[in-house]
Amino acid sequence: GLFSIWAWAAQPVNVNAASAQEIAESLKGVGLSKAEAIVNYRNENGPFKHMDELVNVKGIGIRTVDINRDYILLENSKLAARK
């Protein structure tokens, strides 16, 4: 049905831990080059403390952050809670 079309995008990603490939696959409007910029920024500046800091990355605007707000994780808290 209609739901399955969107299923691929509904995968939250930890922008402080994921590879560029994982970020590119999980976030809408973020290709591999932008995802690599996110990883490079993180490596140079340390982990993101708030998702709005992503706008400091070249090529990432507030609109990109807004449409991905439900999918951007800053830590693996949801996964860790399952232990």
Side-chain angles (χ1 to χ4, degrees):
L2 196 62
F3 181 74
S4 60
I5 296 170
W6 300 106
W8 69 270
Q11 194 185 355
V13 64
N14 179 348
V15 294
N16 284 329
S19 67
Q21 187 73 42
E22 289 170 318
I23 293 170
E25 286 172 6
S26 300
L27 299 185
K28 253 192 191 123
V30 177
L32 199 53
S33 61
K34 286 182 188 178
E36 282 168 356
I38 290 172
V39 172
N40 291 339
Y41 184 92
R42 174 180 90 200
N43 290 342
E44 288 168 25
N45 301 281
F48 295 96
K49 291 178 182 65
H50 193 281
M51 64 179 68
D52 289 344
E53 285 179 41
L54 286 164
V55 300
N56 297 327
V57 178
K58 187 170 162 44
I60 307 289
I62 191 67
R63 179 161 159 63
T64 302
V65 174
D66 279 342
I67 60 176
N68 289 298
R69 217 164 267 280
D70 292 340
Y71 305 115
I72 297 168
L73 300 178
L74 300 177
E75 62 203 32
N76 287 326
S77 57
K78 288 178 183 169
L79 299 175
R82 286 186 190 157
K83 279 183 187 168

